[in-house]
């Protein structure tokens, strides 16, 4: 049959890979949106050993800055944590609240969020290539009627590709600097950054920053 001939020629491999990438993207979306981003539990208290370890890693932070209790959920906030009023929880290493995921991006799901953006970008670029390859341009109303769906699809894919690309690049830049979106946008309002001698006391070099984040 034609299907068997296409399989023998390897023509079914690319569509299969594309479908698997789309499925992986959907699974990653639900994983990142449903998992715990690093909520600070009420029963958790920062241990003295953790504080000492943190002091070794970032000795530039003044010692008079004390951990405070959240004014909303009354838990003791670890450093780099922030309360999200939409999730009603304090989140460890808070980055931002993503409206597309309806969940925070924090310490636990931030690496998976980057993987999700990467897979989504590959799917969009591939889909854009498919949509573009199906277009052949003619200056006629009849041509426009027959290709309007492909044109709209390509335009939407192009817009989403630009958004995802910019989002991924900005996050990779912040990760390479060992900072978060919240710290980058609100540097002047965060006590442990405002009173630090360095602009970014967490930065340990690009390689070590990426290693600590992903590994």
């Amino acid at each position: 049959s034609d299907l068997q001939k296409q399989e023998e020629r390897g023509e079914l491999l690319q569509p299969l890979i594309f479908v698997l990438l789309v499925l992986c993207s959907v699974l990653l979306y639900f994983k990142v949106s449903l998992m715990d981003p690093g909520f600070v539990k009420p029963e958790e208290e920062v241990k003295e050993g953790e504080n000492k370890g943190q002091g070794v890693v970032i000795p530039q932070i003044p010692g008079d800055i004390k951990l405070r209790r959240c004014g909303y959920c009354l838990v003791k906030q670890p450093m780099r944590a922030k309360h999200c009023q939409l999730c009603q929880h304090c989140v460890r290493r808070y980055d931002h609240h993503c409206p597309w995921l309806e969940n925070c991006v924090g310490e636990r799901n931030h690496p998976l969020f980057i993987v999700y953006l990467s897979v989504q970008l590959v799917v969009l670029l591939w889909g854009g290539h498919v949509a573009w390859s199906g277009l052949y341009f003619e200056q006629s109303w009849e041509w426009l009627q027959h290709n309007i769906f492909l044109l709209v699809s390509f335009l939407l894919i192009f817009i989403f590709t630009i958004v995802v690309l910019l989002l991924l690049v900005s996050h990779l830049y912040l990760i390479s600097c060992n900072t978060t979106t919240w710290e980058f946008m609100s540097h002047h309002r965060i006590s442990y950054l405002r009173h630090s001698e360095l602009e970014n006391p967490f930065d340990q070099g690009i390689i070590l920053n990426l290693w600590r984040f992903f590994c």
Side-chain angles (χ1 to χ4, degrees):
S1 64
D2 293 339
L3 188 62
Q4 288 178 334
K5 292 179 180 178
Q6 289 178 343
E7 184 178 0
E8 291 174 357
R9 293 194 299 264
E11 296 177 359
L12 297 180
L13 182 60
Q14 288 189 357
L16 179 60
I17 295 175
F18 181 77
V19 171
L20 290 176
L21 281 174
V22 173
L23 179 61
C24 180
S25 174
V26 173
L27 292 176
L28 281 170
Y29 172 83
F30 284 107
K31 176 66 175 177
V32 176
S33 62
L34 296 176
M35 73 180 295
D36 179 355
F39 294 136
V40 182
K41 303 298 189 297
E43 64 272 12
E44 290 180 358
E45 294 292 340
V46 180
K47 298 178 182 179
E48 183 178 355
E50 291 177 346
N51 289 336
K52 291 181 179 178
Q54 197 175 41
V56 172
V57 176
I58 44 174
Q60 298 86 356
I61 292 180
D64 57 346
I65 297 179
K66 298 180 179 180
L67 301 181
R68 65 184 184 88
R69 289 197 176 274
C70 174
Y72 296 95
C73 53
L74 302 179
V75 297
K76 185 177 288 186
Q77 283 185 337
M79 189 170 291
R80 310 189 78 177
K82 182 184 180 296
H83 183 86
C84 175
Q85 296 190 11
L86 295 174
C87 291
Q88 294 297 311
H89 284 287
C90 286
V91 180
R92 293 179 180 273
R93 202 180 183 276
Y94 175 87
D95 188 87
H96 71 286
H97 183 93
C98 181
W100 303 104
L101 298 172
E102 294 187 359
N103 192 16
C104 283
V105 175
E107 183 178 73
R108 294 191 60 190
N109 64 349
H110 200 171
L112 274 181
F113 178 72
I114 298 300
V115 175
Y116 165 70
L117 288 179
S118 302
V119 174
Q120 191 67 47
L121 181 61
V122 173
V123 171
L124 287 169
L125 289 172
W126 197 334
H129 172 72
V130 172
W132 179 260
S133 63
L135 289 172
Y136 59 95
F137 293 96
E138 294 180 5
Q139 295 182 352
S140 66
W141 176 248
E142 184 179 356
W143 174 89
L144 183 61
Q145 286 181 318
H146 284 87
N147 291 273
I148 186 66
F149 177 75
L150 275 176
L151 284 172
V152 173
S153 298
F154 180 78
L155 180 61
L156 290 176
I157 290 173
F158 177 77
I159 293 173
F160 284 124
T161 300
I162 296 299
V163 172
V164 173
L165 179 62
L166 292 176
L167 192 59
L168 179 60
V169 170
S170 63
H171 272 275
L172 288 175
Y173 169 75
L174 294 176
I175 292 167
S176 67
C177 300
N178 197 0
T179 189
T180 64
T181 302
W182 172 58
E183 290 172 341
F184 181 78
M185 300 295 293
S186 306
H187 188 280
H188 61 288
R189 296 194 290 114
I190 303 174
S191 58
Y192 59 80
L193 294 179
R194 189 174 65 248
H195 298 123
S196 174
E197 297 178 359
L198 300 178
E199 183 177 355
N200 180 15
F202 303 105
D203 188 6
Q204 296 177 295
I206 295 177
I207 296 177
L208 190 55
N209 291 339
L210 293 173
W211 175 263
R212 288 183 177 275
F213 181 84
F214 287 106
C215 306

